[in-house]
Amino acid sequence: MNSEGHTMHKNAFSSLSVVQLAAPSRLLPSACCPDKDLVVLVSRLGTQERLSLWKLSGTKSWEVDITSGNDDHVVDVAWSPDGRSIAVAQKQLRVTIHSIQDGHEERNIRVVLESSPKTYSAVWWFKQEKPVNTESGPDIFQRDNIITGSSRSVLQSLPFLDHLPEEAQRSSATDLFAFQGSQTRTAPKPTTPQVIHEWPALDPNLLAASIDIPGRSSDPQKIYDDTDDSNVNSVMILLTDMGHLVTYYEGVYSSGWVKTHFKLSPLSMYKHPHRPTFYAHSHAVSGDDVSTTIVPVLCDIPILTGRRVRDMASLSTICKDLAWHLLRVVKEMRTSWFGSDTTVAARELGPKWIRALDAKQKEHVGQKDNNPILDLTSLLLTGRSSPALADFMGSGEQMSERGLQKWETAMTEALIKLRDFSEKRIAPACQRIHLVLEEIQGWSHIPEYALFELQSQDIMRCLELANRTIILAAWLAAAARREYSRFKEFMTWIKFELETAAALNAGNDTSNIHIQHDILEVNKYFISGLVVSPIDKWFMGPVPQFQPSDLRGSGTDSLPEALKRAREVLDNPEQLAWEHHVNQKDLNHIDRNIDALVQELVQQCQRVFARASGATGRSAHIIVDHADSQVKTAIPNNVMTRERTIFDSKNGDGEIIQYLAIASLSLEDNILCLTRVKYNATPLSAVSIASCLLECSTSNEDGERQEFQLLEAEFFDDESVVIVYRQDEGAYIATVDYHDLGYQELDLDGDALLRGRENLIQEALLRRGTHDASLQPVQVPIKRCRQLVGCESGRVNLVVNGRAGRRVACVLDEKGTAMESLDLEGDDAEENGLDE
């Protein structure tokens, strides 16, 4: 029976599973998935820590390696608001985002802060409640939350850039042949360059950047975006050992950090449901002793109330996607021209052919001064070849039909790729980047965007680089087109000479073999293209620094002057006559390394957006009551503290009600102290502190009092707290209603407040008896309970999920090798029937 005389049922809950674990594991406070029957465990094998996802039915879904080394370990996990990802905070300032589908690493975040904190201690992922639209009609200047006329709306009207296939990850034999769920996956090595990896951005959205994606439907009415927008405007916050709050907008966009000047408790942070205001408690630590303030520290981030952060993050993401597209396009162009470990270098085939001819010339006696180009020119102009050239043309792999076909195919594919990629990928991508930068340039002059620290001169530098890249892309396309034309003429001439030589060797008439090549174009290819190609200049040399005026010939310097001259020419037909002598400007001295230029453009753009991403941290305000919101030193204690915070917004700004479950781990004071602290939201201050002392005991059927050892407690919902305790016959899990207990006010002085909330149980015990008879302990009003399968000795780990429809608990024994999952669901009617 319980303290109220009702029968206490010891099998009120159903056990979902009992799992024996292969390695000692840990249950972190946020291990339970809020909206799915899943729980994550952290285990260590040697120096390697692993994260595993389990169904509450007892089935392991997957397991992945997380950390390596004795100095690093997982300190906390947080679930994304949409329940599809897990953020794993590791001690050595690293956070990884994992998919719950298979555990693969979606993102790896490593932060370097100016003041160099040493470790992470906690992570939270807060959902932002969507504001209710009270307007009577739609905003005609917005569509899908995109402002008409903005760069994002213009990008939506542009044709899609062709998609580039991703670089495939090589699979190991374990990945290929292991059974699903049985293998331990290792994190793949990143293939993106550092500048892209460090670029602050949301999840990639190629369609927003007008880049096509594979499998896209041609139906313009189809919605491509995921309909689940729970992560939109959410904020992930990481806590460092020095009290820094590192923020990530929507869990992926690095949005700056906040220095609180306090060491904050890793067990306590909560968010106002309607405002971007966060509450944390400072604490003092000395060894195992901790004292946590009663009044929280408030961190207000007002910039998150508007759309500026998301707009900036969206443009940063678009620019990053376009920049990554640019880098990959240029890399593919370079590979097609210069080759790689698996690709033949197109530009090397011509010099290789000339070297083979040179070697053939050296084989012939008496030919000391070898000049292959001279022999080829002589054959082109006179039709007569040297003995070495005739021998070379008649034999050798290079002159076989297969060899020529391979040469022609490689050169054709490379030059067409250079031409098309320059015109259809590089130039359009840079134009889109230019469009985004122009909008950012406009924002740099608006006072509301001052926190983003957009420097106009830096943006102008990026615009100049984008313009320069567009010019070089058009120039490269023209050079590739000219090179391709001359190469085709060269191959036509080679085939003509081979056909002629074959006819002469066979004694046939050659009069029916007609010349189909342009002699001048072939000769130009001898001079520039066969051995040294002008295409090489687009991938060699320093970053180009030319100005558009450097490319103009003598004449007009502005668009109005050019238009005026054009009208004069049209008005005078004599000026339309062919000009035989046109002086062309020598451009050989101009650097044109488009590879280096694109990399410089990407780096400069990344710096602009990286500086802008810190606006969230720069806008934060720390509000603290210096009288009550800090403790000076840690007070030795042996207590366990758990909390639950409720926001009551019925009256004005509302009040904050925080419930604390404080338990003495000493057998001398076998007491559970439930405390209710009420705060004013504005200004932040403690209004009242009330406590209720619960004696850790139950009554048997004969009414005899039986003490138990409290092992663990966690708040379940706004009504119940879950406890795990041990009596003589075993360990039990139970629920206790805490909302309507007889809380008694504590009149605490300033010194008591400064001693921290861990000391509240001592303050309550001091006021019982002669000081305050109303604080006499009462027996724990256990509502429902069940005996656990294991946990006969030692401490336990307890995690709960009190969300409606889930309502489960997981208990892990002290060794970390046995976990029991229980279903705590049950309606009031069922509970009342059990009690009666």
Side-chain angles (χ1 to χ4, degrees):
M1 298 178 64
N2 60 18
S3 61
E4 297 178 356
H6 299 299
T7 301
M8 182 177 65
H9 292 262
K10 295 188 177 181
N11 289 296
F13 311 127
S14 59
S15 178
L16 298 175
S17 65
V18 178
V19 179
Q20 298 298 322
L21 304 171
S25 303
R26 293 184 291 135
L27 271 176
L28 296 170
S30 302
C32 282
C33 180
D35 59 355
K36 297 178 179 64
D37 292 331
L38 301 171
V39 64
V40 290
L41 287 170
V42 179
S43 59
R44 177 174 286 271
L45 185 61
T47 61
Q48 187 80 41
E49 280 212 327
R50 294 175 174 175
L51 185 78
S52 57
L53 182 72
W54 292 77
K55 297 179 181 178
L56 295 184
S57 59
T59 305
K60 182 168 69 173
S61 298
W62 47 258
E63 187 175 37
V64 294
D65 292 334
I66 297 293
T67 66
S68 60
N70 293 322
D71 295 334
D72 198 8
H73 64 272
V74 176
V75 296
D76 201 5
V77 296
W79 299 82
S80 63
D82 63 4
R84 298 182 180 182
S85 304
I86 310 172
V88 181
Q90 300 166 39
K91 182 180 178 182
Q92 300 300 327
L93 297 178
R94 193 165 73 98
V95 179
T96 52
I97 310 295
H98 296 264
S99 168
I100 68 167
Q101 296 299 323
D102 56 5
H104 77 271
E105 186 179 291
E106 296 177 338
R107 186 164 296 214
N108 187 318
I109 304 170
R110 182 177 290 276
V111 181
V112 179
L113 302 178
E114 295 175 1
S115 53
S116 300
K118 297 179 181 179
T119 59
Y120 280 141
S121 56
V123 59
W124 300 271
W125 201 331
F126 297 103
K127 180 180 180 179
Q128 176 68 26
E129 297 295 333
K130 298 179 178 60
V132 178
N133 186 9
T134 58
E135 298 180 2
S136 58
D139 189 345
I140 62 173
F141 297 105
Q142 293 188 27
R143 184 177 181 181
D144 297 331
N145 206 30
I146 298 176
I147 299 175
T148 303
S150 65
S151 60
R152 293 172 63 193
S153 68
V154 174
L155 286 172
Q156 286 186 334
S157 65
L158 297 178
F160 289 121
L161 300 176
D162 291 336
H163 174 75
L164 282 176
E166 298 289 341
E167 297 180 4
Q169 290 284 343
R170 294 183 179 180
S171 299
S172 64
T174 302
D175 297 327
L176 293 174
F177 300 109
F179 291 105
Q180 182 178 6
S182 63
Q183 72 270 30
T184 300
R185 299 178 179 86
T186 57
K189 295 181 180 179
T191 58
T192 56
Q194 192 73 11
V195 64
I196 297 297
H197 183 71
E198 295 178 353
W199 194 308
L202 303 173
D203 288 328
N205 188 352
L206 299 182
L207 292 180
S210 69
I211 300 175
D212 204 359
I213 57 177
R216 179 180 62 88
S217 171
S218 58
D219 183 3
Q221 300 300 324
K222 183 176 180 180
I223 300 176
Y224 307 110
D225 295 336
D226 196 338
T227 55
D228 188 350
D229 58 352
S230 302
N231 283 359
V232 174
N233 296 330
S234 64
V235 179
M236 183 173 72
I237 296 182
L238 291 139
L239 175 64
T240 72
D241 60 327
M242 297 182 65
H244 295 80
L245 300 177
V246 186
T247 64
Y248 285 88
Y249 189 71
E250 297 188 4
V252 292
Y253 177 75
S254 177
S255 49
W257 57 280
V258 182
K259 189 173 183 180
T260 64
H261 304 286
F262 301 101
K263 287 189 175 182
L264 301 179
S265 170
L267 302 177
S268 176
M269 177 170 284
Y270 40 99
K271 176 185 175 297
H272 194 283
H274 307 300
R275 299 196 302 265
T277 303
F278 304 88
Y279 303 85
H281 292 264
S282 66
H283 69 167
V285 182
S286 177
D288 295 331
D289 299 325
V290 179
S291 291
T292 308
T293 57
I294 297 176
V295 180
V297 175
L298 186 149
C299 177
D300 189 32
I301 310 180
I303 198 172
L304 293 177
T305 57
R307 59 175 297 157
R308 288 172 292 170
V309 173
R310 179 160 184 83
D311 286 344
M312 180 63 72
S314 298
L315 291 190
S316 180
T317 304
I318 289 173
C319 203
K320 174 187 176 180
D321 291 340
L322 290 168
W324 181 219
H325 182 81
L326 268 178
L327 291 174
R328 294 168 60 203
V329 166
V330 173
K331 180 181 177 181
E332 190 164 334
M333 292 168 63
R334 170 183 277 276
T335 300
S336 67
W337 187 244
F338 288 96
S340 65
D341 296 338
T342 58
T343 306
V344 177
R347 72 172 300 279
E348 288 297 326
L349 296 177
K352 181 180 178 181
W353 190 78
I354 290 296
R355 288 194 297 270
L357 175 56
D358 183 63
K360 180 63 68 173
Q361 289 177 335
K362 292 179 180 179
E363 292 177 2
H364 284 253
V365 180
Q367 185 139 0
K368 298 180 180 179
D369 298 329
N370 301 320
N371 192 332
I373 297 298
L374 181 60
D375 280 3
L376 291 172
T377 305
S378 176
L379 176 61
L380 173 66
L381 299 178
T382 65
R384 298 178 182 179
S385 62
S386 64
L389 180 56
D391 189 10
F392 178 76
M393 298 283 283
S395 63
E397 181 183 356
Q398 289 81 5
M399 298 307 300
S400 66
E401 183 178 355
R402 181 175 178 274
L404 291 177
Q405 182 65 33
K406 180 180 178 181
W407 186 5
E408 186 173 9
T409 300
M411 284 293 293
T412 299
E413 291 179 353
L415 291 172
I416 290 178
K417 179 174 287 188
L418 292 175
R419 180 197 66 191
D420 292 347
F421 277 27
S422 298
E423 287 182 335
K424 301 177 181 179
R425 300 200 178 196
I426 293 183
C430 287
Q431 290 166 357
R432 286 157 172 77
I433 291 177
H434 195 285
L435 184 66
V436 171
L437 291 173
E438 284 182 325
E439 184 166 7
I440 298 295
Q441 176 75 320
W443 289 353
S444 68
H445 300 289
I446 301 177
E448 286 77 3
Y449 287 86
L451 286 171
F452 292 95
E453 295 185 354
L454 298 170
Q455 303 297 323
S456 180
Q457 62 272 21
D458 294 340
I459 302 174
M460 283 300 302
R461 167 70 174 162
C462 294
L463 288 169
E464 292 176 358
L465 292 171
N467 289 334
R468 204 168 292 148
T469 306
I470 294 172
I471 293 173
L472 282 184
W475 194 357
L476 175 57
R481 187 177 289 106
R482 181 171 58 249
E483 182 99 345
Y484 178 52
S485 175
R486 291 175 178 174
F487 174 74
K488 287 198 301 183
E489 296 295 333
F490 169 74
M491 294 304 297
T492 302
W493 170 71
I494 288 291
K495 294 175 182 178
F496 167 78
E497 294 294 344
L498 291 175
E499 185 179 1
T500 301
L504 291 175
N505 292 335
N508 297 329
D509 185 16
T510 61
S511 60
N512 58 345
I513 303 176
H514 303 289
I515 295 177
Q516 298 180 350
H517 55 273
D518 188 325
I519 295 178
L520 293 178
E521 290 297 303
V522 175
N523 187 58
K524 289 179 180 178
Y525 191 71
F526 289 164
I527 299 172
S528 177
L530 184 57
V531 179
V532 179
S533 173
I535 301 294
D536 297 348
K537 293 183 178 181
W538 271 266
F539 302 96
M540 297 179 177
V543 177
Q545 301 292 337
F546 66 84
Q547 298 297 325
S549 58
D550 298 335
L551 306 179
R552 299 193 194 112
S554 57
T556 59
D557 293 326
S558 64
L559 180 60
E561 293 179 2
L563 292 174
K564 180 179 179 182
R565 176 170 171 77
R567 293 190 185 96
E568 292 176 352
V569 172
L570 291 174
D571 293 338
N572 187 358
E574 294 182 359
Q575 296 190 34
L576 295 176
W578 179 264
E579 296 185 23
H580 296 281
H581 302 286
V582 178
N583 294 326
Q584 295 186 351
K585 191 172 184 178
D586 184 13
L587 303 178
N588 290 327
H589 65 285
I590 293 180
D591 295 318
R592 59 196 80 170
N593 188 344
I594 196 170
D595 190 357
L597 183 59
V598 166
Q599 293 189 38
E600 179 69 13
L601 170 63
V602 170
Q603 290 175 358
Q604 293 295 332
C605 289
Q606 189 268 346
R607 291 171 187 168
V608 170
F609 286 106
R611 186 186 303 112
S613 68
T616 300
R618 289 189 286 268
S619 73
H621 302 296
I622 302 299
I623 303 174
V624 57
D625 186 343
H626 289 281
D628 301 330
S629 296
Q630 51 186 322
V631 288
K632 302 299 182 183
T633 58
I635 300 175
N637 55 66
N638 189 25
V639 299
M640 171 189 67
T641 304
R642 301 291 183 263
E643 70 175 59
R644 183 173 182 86
T645 304
I646 301 172
F647 288 86
D648 185 1
S649 57
K650 295 179 181 178
N651 300 320
D653 288 334
E655 65 177 1
I656 303 171
I657 304 175
Q658 188 175 75
Y659 289 92
L660 302 174
I662 310 171
S664 174
L665 300 181
S666 172
L667 295 177
E668 299 176 359
D669 295 319
N670 198 13
I671 295 293
L672 173 63
C673 177
L674 291 175
T675 301
R676 183 186 62 205
V677 184
K678 293 184 178 181
Y679 307 96
N680 277 332
T682 306
L684 185 64
S685 60
V687 176
S688 67
I689 301 176
S691 293
C692 175
L693 295 178
L694 302 180
E695 185 183 68
C696 295
S697 65
T698 59
S699 299
N700 60 19
E701 295 179 356
D702 298 329
E704 296 177 351
R705 176 177 170 273
Q706 292 181 319
E707 289 191 359
F708 61 75
Q709 179 187 4
L710 183 65
L711 303 177
E712 186 59 271
E714 285 290 350
F715 283 95
F716 192 53
D717 52 23
D718 292 346
E719 302 289 338
S720 303
V721 60
V722 178
I723 64 172
V724 177
Y725 63 92
R726 184 180 295 118
Q727 279 184 328
D728 294 337
E729 62 267 30
Y732 294 85
I733 183 169
T735 56
V736 177
D737 285 344
Y738 68 88
H739 189 267
D740 294 327
L741 294 176
Y743 291 94
Q744 300 298 320
E745 297 288 336
L746 298 179
D747 185 16
L748 301 181
D749 55 21
D751 291 338
L753 290 175
L754 289 178
R755 284 193 289 269
R757 63 190 189 186
E758 288 82 3
N759 193 57
L760 287 176
I761 187 172
Q762 300 298 330
E763 295 291 337
L765 290 174
L766 288 175
R767 283 162 172 76
R768 69 179 175 176
T770 57
H771 291 83
D772 191 346
S774 63
L775 277 177
Q776 288 288 350
V778 297
Q779 200 172 78
V780 175
I782 293 178
K783 190 176 182 182
R784 306 168 71 198
C785 74
R786 178 186 176 90
Q787 185 172 356
L788 298 172
V789 173
C791 304
E792 290 86 358
S793 62
R795 306 298 304 176
V796 298
N797 280 85
L798 170 67
V799 294
V800 299
N801 181 6
R803 187 168 179 174
R806 297 297 168 189
R807 306 182 72 77
V808 295
C810 297
V811 182
L812 185 69
D813 66 0
E814 185 176 46
K815 296 180 180 179
T817 56
M819 180 181 70
E820 183 174 1
S821 302
L822 302 104
D823 182 4
L824 306 187
E825 188 66 76
D827 54 29
D828 293 339
E830 179 185 0
E831 293 167 4
N832 292 335
L834 288 173
D835 287 340
E836 293 174 1

